[in-house]
Amino acid sequence: MSSAPIKNSFASDNISSACPEVMDAIIEANSGIAKSYGEDDYSKRLQQKLSEVFETEVIAYPVVSGTAANALALATLTPSYGKVFCHEMSHINTDECGAPEFFTGGAKLVPISSKNGKITADALADKIRGAGNVHSAQPATVSITQSCEVGALYQLDEITAIAETAHENGLSVHMDGARFANGLVALDVSPAEMTWKSGVDVLSFGGTKNGCIAAEAVVFFKPELVQSFPFLHKRSGQLLSKMRFISAQLDAYLTNDVWLRNARHANKMAARLSQGLAEIKGIELAFPTESNEIFAHIPRDVIESLNAAGFSVTEGELDETAPPRFVTAWNTEAAEVDALLDAVTKAATK
């Protein structure tokens, strides 16, 4: 194996290749003709498969990016004069170039602070105000990320408490599941338990970071919430004419538990890397490693040494003061992890 993929593979799970099952599915979908705009057999089969996975009848819409999934889901749940409550480090607040505000027509994001990347039901309750006041944006939606931006996981009781607080105040609950599979296998619970059984109304179901090329889905657990989504789907350019190629990816991703296998492997490699970093003198983990992201406080000279060696350490992922981040993927190899640990060890002991 050449050194190039080893040195650069921890920058993000977005840089990983697609898994073989997804590639094979695209090739298969490329045979012959199929109905357009989501009327194809792949898209219909995906609807059925997602309903089986979540143990309830869902309505799902494939899209090609997590930004689109989040923004369109929030636009459906939130009026232009509404508020979306989220963690201050959530991607909808820091990493989506105003897409949620744009697609909602101007809804206000209300960030909530914490030290571990997760909001709490109590913190949410403290922020909910202004209902019925014509001078205030109206509370409408709460969005949580699983697994969250620092790699931490919402436990089921935390999701339930947030959802109960939200619903008691007339808010809908959205989950950004860009790394949904990683959180799911780490908690060892069912998709139903981590979503609608805990009070989640709409899910942005991610596949791109875990083996797909460009495939996500907006999953509605309550049909009455779909409302204008089909029109937003089309208007945003996410209703692809050849939707079969997106649906085929997700269909293959879900078949034979490929998505769970991929996530388990990524998490296993993250645990290996996290444990190794924690054992190196001068390195301190910034957050517990609960999924496939590792944040660690690393001395500047070590970072510079790693960059000089070609490892391209990712800094400032959360904000300009954030510690370096390493991300493992479905195809990260143990040898790659060990090569990085060896480089960190050598740099730290100079």
Side-chain angles (χ1 to χ4, degrees):
M1 181 181 292
S2 67
S3 60
I6 291 178
K7 290 186 176 182
N8 293 298
S9 64
F10 299 97
S12 171
D13 41 10
N14 281 323
I15 68 174
S16 64
S17 59
C19 64
E21 294 84 355
V22 167
M23 294 301 298
D24 289 345
I26 292 174
I27 293 172
E28 179 188 341
N30 197 45
S31 177
I33 62 174
K35 292 183 178 179
S36 56
Y37 297 107
E39 295 299 321
D40 58 278
D41 290 340
Y42 294 95
S43 297
K44 291 178 179 178
R45 186 164 64 237
L46 175 62
Q47 293 282 335
Q48 180 180 353
K49 190 162 292 185
L50 283 168
S51 293
E52 293 171 355
V53 164
F54 286 100
E55 303 174 55
T56 190
E57 186 172 348
V58 302
I59 301 176
Y61 297 87
V63 296
V64 298
S65 75
T67 295
N70 289 337
L72 294 179
L74 293 173
T76 305
L77 299 174
T78 315
S80 58
Y81 52 85
K83 293 178 183 177
V84 177
F85 301 92
C86 59
H87 193 274
E88 62 181 350
M89 291 188 292
S90 65
H91 270 205
I92 65 171
N93 190 48
T94 67
D95 205 49
E96 295 185 349
C97 197
E101 295 94 328
F102 177 78
F103 281 100
T104 58
K108 182 180 181 64
L109 299 187
V110 182
I112 299 174
S113 302
S114 79
K115 294 181 180 179
N116 63 358
K118 301 187 294 183
I119 66 174
T120 65
D122 289 341
L124 174 62
D126 287 342
K127 288 284 188 177
I128 299 174
R129 60 178 67 94
N133 182 350
V134 72
H135 301 288
S136 173
Q138 295 299 287
T141 310
V142 59
S143 180
I144 61 175
T145 308
Q146 183 77 322
S147 56
C148 78
E149 281 71 19
V150 304
L153 299 173
Y154 283 95
Q155 301 299 309
L156 296 191
D157 61 339
E158 294 176 310
I159 300 173
T160 299
I162 290 169
E164 288 177 349
T165 299
H167 293 153
E168 287 169 0
N169 288 276
L171 277 63
S172 296
V173 180
H174 165 256
M175 176 179 282
D176 176 354
R179 294 185 175 93
F180 183 84
N182 300 95
L184 189 72
V185 298
L187 290 181
D188 193 22
V189 297
S190 73
E193 289 171 324
M194 205 167 80
T195 54
W196 63 272
K197 287 187 177 181
S198 293
V200 174
D201 299 311
V202 181
L203 168 69
S204 294
F205 180 75
T208 304
K209 297 180 187 296
N210 194 39
C212 293
I213 294 178
E216 320 277 311
V218 181
V219 181
F220 288 87
F221 299 107
K222 296 178 179 178
E224 65 270 20
L225 293 179
V226 173
Q227 303 176 81
S228 61
F229 191 93
F231 300 99
L232 293 171
H233 196 209
K234 173 65 177 180
R235 186 172 183 261
S236 65
Q238 292 295 315
L239 179 59
L240 303 190
S241 59
K242 294 185 179 180
M243 188 64 83
R244 59 172 156 161
F245 293 108
I246 309 304
S247 297
Q249 292 180 61
L250 292 171
D251 181 34
Y253 180 65
L254 293 168
T255 299
N256 296 325
D257 290 340
V258 168
W259 64 306
L260 302 179
R261 181 203 68 197
N262 286 356
R264 287 192 185 99
H265 178 78
N267 288 3
K268 180 180 179 180
M269 292 298 100
R272 184 187 185 102
L273 177 56
S274 178
Q275 181 179 348
L277 288 172
E279 294 173 353
I280 300 173
K281 186 177 180 180
I283 308 298
E284 181 183 356
L285 297 179
F287 306 100
T289 302
E290 297 181 353
S291 53
N292 69 319
E293 293 182 278
I294 305 100
F295 290 84
H297 297 290
I298 301 176
R300 172 50 51 187
D301 61 330
V302 175
I303 294 175
E304 291 175 354
S305 178
L306 292 174
N307 284 332
F311 281 95
S312 303
V313 178
T314 301
E315 297 185 79
E317 176 64 22
L318 304 176
D319 59 44
E320 62 275 6
T321 65
R325 182 189 76 160
F326 302 97
V327 188
T328 53
W330 71 271
N331 58 347
T332 300
E333 297 182 8
E336 296 179 274
V337 174
D338 294 343
L340 175 58
L341 289 172
D342 183 60
V344 174
T345 301
K346 289 179 180 178
T349 55
K350 279 185 179 180

